[in-house]
Amino acid sequence: GPHGVAQPAALQAELPRSLKGGKAGADGEQPAIRAGIQSVEDAEFGVDVTTGGLLPTVSVDAAWSRRWDPSINTRRVEDATITGRLTVPFYQGGGVSSQVREAKQVRNQRRIEREQSRHEVRAAVVSAWGQADATRAQITSSQAQVRANEVALAGVRDAAQGRPLYTPPSP
């Protein structure tokens, strides 16, 4: 008979211990979910960048120059200037506001896609876990059937050789 048949230890070590652990592992490691999280972060950054077009800007320019004045009294002239500029957008025709709304809509769509990916992965984990449970039950049933067949075979051999009926060893 098939003595010593067992599930490989390496495969068993890779499987989660529970359905909850399988879901948690998928949330942290599954590539589709990780890509969805990154996509949402990218869209958030896009909203921030686009919103920046509605904010005031500040710029500072500095310049320094040195020249020689070729007059009778040759002398050196140095000029230094610092210019600060504050630009406040009063009217933009709605273009930037429209872009902000579009960026927010893209962000919301990415969030929906991330949650859809998370839902699909969790459903796949639950399905796989159910299949694994069914397979474990089938293995247990098959092992019991193998033991019953071994007992029956031993009984047939004993009867054929005229010995008393086989008594199976206790498990």
Side-chain angles (χ1 to χ4, degrees), residues 78-140:
E78 293 184 26
D79 290 323
T81 58
I82 297 178
T83 306
R85 183 175 298 123
L86 173 65
T87 306
V88 180
F90 289 112
Y91 178 74
Q92 298 174 329
V96 175
S97 296
S98 174
Q99 291 171 351
V100 169
R101 284 192 302 274
E102 181 182 353
K104 287 181 178 180
Q105 185 60 36
V106 168
R107 177 198 59 198
N108 293 340
Q109 181 62 35
R110 296 300 174 262
R111 285 178 178 168
I112 290 168
E113 291 168 358
R114 177 195 62 197
E115 290 309 310
Q116 183 177 355
S117 292
R118 187 171 277 152
H119 175 72
E120 289 171 359
V121 167
R122 286 179 178 173
V125 168
V126 169
S127 175
W129 191 264
Q131 289 175 352
D133 275 348
T135 302
R136 285 186 200 101
Q138 182 63 40
I139 289 171
T140 301

Side-chain angles (χ1 to χ4, degrees), residues 31-116:
I33 293 176
R34 292 176 71 182
I37 291 169
Q38 185 62 49
S39 180
V40 170
E41 289 175 0
D42 293 348
E44 291 279 0
F45 182 72
V47 170
D48 292 343
V49 168
T50 308
T51 303
L54 297 171
L55 302 176
T57 57
V58 175
S59 63
V60 177
D61 296 320
W64 176 77
S65 65
R66 177 189 296 179
R67 62 186 165 84
W68 296 96
D69 190 353
S71 64
I72 294 205
N73 297 330
T74 302
R75 61 187 177 139
R76 184 173 66 182
V77 177
E78 293 184 26
D79 290 323
T81 58
I82 297 178
T83 306
R85 183 175 298 123
L86 173 65
T87 306
V88 180
F90 289 112
Y91 178 74
Q92 298 174 329
V96 175
S97 296
S98 174
Q99 291 171 351
V100 169
R101 284 192 302 274
E102 181 182 353
K104 287 181 178 180
Q105 185 60 36
V106 168
R107 177 198 59 198
N108 293 340
Q109 181 62 35
R110 296 300 174 262
R111 285 178 178 168
I112 290 168
E113 291 168 358
R114 177 195 62 197
E115 290 309 310
Q116 183 177 355

Side-chain angles (χ1 to χ4, degrees), residues 134-160:
T135 302
R136 285 186 200 101
Q138 182 63 40
I139 289 171
T140 301
S141 173
S142 296
Q143 288 172 337
Q145 189 175 5
V146 166
R147 284 193 296 274
N149 287 338
E150 287 174 342
V151 169
L153 177 62
V156 168
R157 285 181 180 159
D158 289 344

